[in-house]
Amino acid sequence: MINWIKNHKHIVLYTLGIFVVAVSILPYFILKENIWVTFHDQLDGEVLNYIYQAKYFLKGDIVPEMMNGIPKTGMLMPAPMGVIFFLFMSPFWAYVCLQILVTFTAYTGMFLLLTKITDDCRIGFVCGCMFAYLPFMPVYGLSIAGLPLLWYAFMMLYEKDKVIISYVLLVFTTGFSSFVLSGFAVCLMMFVVLAYIIRRNGIKKHLHMIIGFVVMCVTFVLCNLSLFADFIPGINSSKEVSHRTEFILYPLSDYMGEFKMVFFGESMYTPAYGGVICGFTLILIVLCLIFKKKDMIRMPLTILTVLLVITVLSILWKSSLCLNTIRQLGPLKYFQANRISWLVPPLWYVLLGIDFKIVLQWLSSGQDRMKNKMLWVIGYGSALLVCALMALIICKQSFLNRHIRQILFSDTYDIITWNQYYAGDVYEQIDEMIGRDKSEYRVVSLGMSPAAALYNGFYCLDGYSNNYPLSYKHEFKAIIEDELEKSEENRIYFDEWGNRCYLMSSESGGSPMIRKYAATAYQDLDIDVNQLSSMGCEYIFSAMEILNADDLGLTSEGAYETPASYYKIYVYSIG
């Protein structure tokens, strides 16, 4: 038995890692819809995109529930193949399946990649577990979490090993990734790598890599046909002008802050906590230089250089130089090429694995060990210390930590859950009160995201989209124009960006989440009710009472809540 374990330790360690990573998934099955979930850019946007793309899968070009009928191109999914889960499951369990897919792919990819690079499955196990516990937002699929597996597939193609499986892995990781978030950067990176390899060794030796690159690009195109149509003049000549043409972009002002955020991977979408890894790497580089082991630092220096290039390119794209030149050319104005920074998180953990390999390789040298046992102790001790420190940082910020606190301190841990955000029980009361088919009338939300109403099947004038008709933005603006004049912050938020086409009030801000215990009341709401009516709206769902409802021509239809609900929703009818 012991001999079998020694001979198959990569299988044993991989399986052990699966169990370690699976612990982070257990709370979803314990708490179910009562679990805490990041709502920003997930529950208020991307989840709805999956839901309605699944509902109207292969059916027409319009989603009638949002913005009086928004083109489906205004509700594109970050991970196109993720719609599969939403076709056959309830939204919550589809979301959980995405989380499972992301978590296990992150672990498997990093395990395979680092085991291949370092020839040590222990390193693959440690770094794979760390990487899998990063707080990936599952709605973005494998845009970040799948990169190690994609790079592993290309390594296999480079070595002409497991060719068919590698092609399948490329289709899998690409189909569950977003082209605009990280895909374009991956294509650019692999193009540069291919060009270098082909120039050095010729085309014939690397046909499999070239085919793999083509497979990746074709998969991206097939999964994002409507997206690429936006960049090809004449294909969609009848399509309405996007609201994005009115974006007002400002050059970056805090260059040092941006450098720190990008280089160390401090993005809100998937923080990498690269500071500790960077410090460890620099210490190793200095020691290697002192002890004349320059050959060991080639790969760490290469990765640090790549990280530096990514950071510089990201900052350059947001600088006044690019803003006044390249970004004035059509769709490039609103293309966020600075998202090349989405490549940063996995690079830090690849670098960490290589650092561990350097320590093990150096200290396993018998000559060095005999010369300086203290150095040997310090080397292993520092590696263990870095492991412990990274594990502590990652676990503290992980979803699992929040979920454990939620389970243990459910009465005092102040969070908003899936059920509370979407408030199905409250909207069910409202639906019963109205007593009509939802398609017969339109609603808007005030003081809370319209995502909850959309999730519960109401037809809304408002919504969150990064690409909807400019004409609709202007039509909707007429409703809130007087309120925008009261608040410069709201005016800028709507006029110069406008992805959140919401009812806005100077009394509650542009994108509020007003819970019932914190609610006061709208004293002087100034919206154009006639414009609302002309657009088909019959009801306003408000998170606070509207004291001047009579002056606006609104009729109160009651307030609705449950003991556990996050909101207390005041319903007003128009006319």
Side-chain angles (χ1 to χ4, degrees):
M1 182 66 178
I2 296 176
N3 289 333
W4 186 91
I5 292 175
K6 287 182 178 179
N7 293 331
H8 299 84
K9 62 180 180 180
H10 59 290
I11 297 176
V12 174
L13 278 176
Y14 175 76
T15 305
L16 177 61
I18 289 291
F19 283 106
V20 171
V21 169
V23 173
S24 68
I25 302 298
L26 289 177
Y28 290 93
F29 295 91
I30 296 171
L31 296 169
K32 300 179 181 177
E33 286 91 339
N34 291 315
I35 198 167
W36 169 87
V37 172
T38 303
F39 65 82
H40 179 73
D41 280 352
Q42 289 208 116
L43 303 190
D44 65 349
E46 304 296 0
V47 167
L48 295 168
N49 293 345
Y50 285 107
I51 290 171
Y52 281 105
Q53 289 287 357
K55 181 176 180 179
Y56 295 103
F57 188 66
L58 302 179
K59 298 176 185 176
D61 300 316
I62 300 293
V63 176
E65 282 87 345
M66 192 166 93
M67 294 185 180
N68 250 351
I70 188 174
K72 290 171 74 175
T73 53
M75 299 187 76
L76 294 179
M77 304 162 291
M81 285 188 182
V83 73
I84 295 171
F85 299 125
F86 290 82
L87 283 170
F88 302 106
M89 302 178 187
S90 68
F92 174 76
W93 289 111
Y95 176 90
V96 172
C97 284
L98 268 178
Q99 181 70 73
I100 293 171
L101 177 82
V102 167
T103 301
F104 285 107
T105 302
Y107 168 71
T108 300
M110 191 60 74
F111 178 90
L112 292 173
L113 181 64
L114 281 176
T115 299
K116 183 68 179 176
I117 292 174
T118 66
D119 195 30
D120 193 325
C121 58
R122 296 172 299 174
I123 294 174
F125 165 77
V126 171
C127 294
C129 289
M130 289 184 187
F131 188 64
Y133 267 86
L134 293 181
F136 298 107
M137 291 189 185
V139 294
Y140 297 118
L142 303 181
S143 299
I144 297 177
L147 292 178
L149 189 60
L150 183 142
W151 294 335
Y152 171 78
F154 273 110
M155 284 190 68
M156 292 295 97
L157 292 176
Y158 177 80
E159 297 179 356
K160 302 180 182 64
D161 186 21
K162 302 181 179 68
V163 172
I164 301 301
I165 293 176
S166 297
Y167 291 148
V168 172
L169 290 178
L170 288 176
V171 173
F172 168 70
T173 54
T174 303
F176 279 97
S177 299
S178 169
F179 178 78
V180 298
L181 296 180
S182 66
F184 75 93
V186 172
C187 291
L188 179 62
M189 171 186 273
M190 295 313 304
F191 178 80
V192 172
V193 171
L194 266 177
Y196 172 78
I197 290 174
I198 290 172
R199 184 179 179 182
R200 191 181 65 177
N201 301 325
I203 294 178
K204 290 184 179 180
K205 292 183 179 180
H206 301 292
L207 284 176
H208 288 305
M209 281 195 76
I210 295 172
I211 294 171
F213 180 77
V214 171
V215 167
M216 178 180 69
C217 293
V218 168
T219 305
F220 270 129
V221 171
L222 292 177
C223 290
N224 298 273
L225 285 174
S226 58
L227 173 67
F228 283 98
D230 280 349
F231 292 89
I232 303 175
I235 275 196
N236 271 337
S237 56
S238 61
K239 192 186 73 168
E240 292 194 56
V241 177
S242 171
H243 83 287
R244 293 181 293 188
T245 58
E246 285 192 343
F247 278 6
I248 304 296
L249 304 174
Y250 295 96
L252 185 66
S253 57
D254 183 9
Y255 285 91
M256 288 306 299
E258 186 74 8
F259 182 93
K260 180 175 178 288
M261 185 188 74
V262 176
F263 185 77
F264 292 114
E266 296 177 358
S267 166
M268 63 170 286
Y269 293 103
T270 303
Y273 317 114
V276 175
I277 302 173
C278 183
F280 184 50
T281 304
L282 292 177
I283 292 172
L284 279 180
I285 290 174
V286 171
L287 289 174
C288 286
L289 290 174
I290 292 173
F291 289 92
K292 299 179 180 181
K293 296 180 179 292
K294 296 180 181 180
D295 56 315
M296 289 186 174
I297 62 175
R298 187 178 294 111
M299 286 189 70
L301 285 177
T302 300
I303 294 176
L304 284 175
T305 302
V306 171
L307 287 166
L308 185 61
V309 170
I310 289 173
T311 303
V312 171
L313 290 175
S314 178
I315 291 175
L316 185 63
W317 187 257
K318 298 172 73 174
S319 70
S320 57
L321 177 64
C322 278
L323 204 59
N324 296 324
T325 54
I326 299 173
R327 297 188 70 178
Q328 297 301 315
L329 303 176
L332 290 179
K333 176 180 180 180
Y334 43 81
F335 180 63
Q336 293 179 272
N338 55 292
R339 283 173 172 161
I340 191 174
S341 60
W342 283 48
L343 300 181
V344 167
L347 284 173
W348 277 118
Y349 289 85
V350 171
L351 178 57
L352 180 62
I354 293 171
D355 287 347
F356 288 153
K357 178 63 176 178
I358 290 173
V359 171
L360 295 176
Q361 185 178 357
W362 186 0
L363 299 180
S364 64
S365 169
Q367 184 179 4
D368 283 336
R369 185 191 284 179
M370 292 301 295
K371 281 185 175 180
N372 198 337
K373 291 184 179 181
M374 182 61 69
L375 183 63
W376 183 82
V377 172
I378 292 173
Y380 275 103
S382 63
L384 291 173
L385 180 63
V386 169
C387 279
L389 188 57
M390 286 301 299
L392 181 64
I393 293 171
I394 292 170
C395 288
K396 184 178 180 181
Q397 301 299 327
S398 69
F399 293 156
L400 179 63
N401 179 46
R402 291 177 180 267
H403 295 156
I404 290 175
R405 291 167 67 188
Q406 185 185 350
I407 292 171
L408 297 179
F409 312 107
S410 58
D411 295 333
T412 57
Y413 190 42
D414 189 22
I415 42 85
I416 182 169
T417 66
W418 177 288
N419 267 346
Q420 287 178 319
Y421 186 87
Y422 286 130
D425 47 0
V426 179
Y427 281 96
E428 186 178 352
Q429 295 177 33
I430 296 172
D431 183 33
E432 290 177 0
M433 181 275 294
I434 295 174
R436 296 160 57 194
D437 189 279
K438 293 171 184 170
S439 63
E440 296 177 0
Y441 58 91
R442 301 293 182 266
V443 304
V444 288
S445 299
L446 177 63
M448 56 187 177
S449 170
L454 281 163
Y455 181 86
N456 288 286
F458 288 90
Y459 285 62
C460 303
L461 297 187
D462 40 359
Y464 180 18
S465 170
N466 61 13
N467 184 21
Y468 63 94
L470 178 63
S471 59
Y472 189 82
K473 179 183 178 182
H474 292 166
E475 187 179 10
F476 192 89
K477 181 181 177 180
I479 302 169
I480 57 174
E481 194 152 16
D482 291 337
E483 280 292 339
L484 294 180
E485 290 179 1
K486 296 180 183 179
S487 170
E488 181 66 6
E489 181 182 353
N490 285 351
R491 187 200 64 77
I492 291 173
Y493 190 67
F494 187 84
D495 285 351
E496 299 185 3
W497 187 57
N499 281 5
R500 285 190 168 90
C501 190
Y502 292 0
L503 279 191
M504 296 183 184
S505 165
S506 59
E507 298 176 74
S508 60
S511 181
M513 283 286 296
I514 302 172
R515 65 187 308 167
K516 60 185 179 182
Y517 300 119
T520 53
Y522 289 106
Q523 305 283 340
D524 186 29
L525 185 64
D526 194 1
I527 58 175
D528 191 334
V529 176
N530 291 329
Q531 178 67 6
L532 274 174
S533 183
S534 69
M535 294 173 69
C537 183
E538 296 186 33
Y539 295 95
I540 296 176
F541 298 161
S542 176
M544 299 197 300
E545 184 179 4
I546 303 174
L547 297 183
N548 63 328
D550 292 340
D551 297 335
L552 293 172
L554 303 176
T555 302
S556 175
E557 301 293 345
Y560 301 86
E561 63 175 322
T562 64
S565 65
Y566 186 87
Y567 319 102
K568 181 177 183 179
I569 302 178
Y570 296 83
V571 179
Y572 295 90
S573 60
I574 298 175

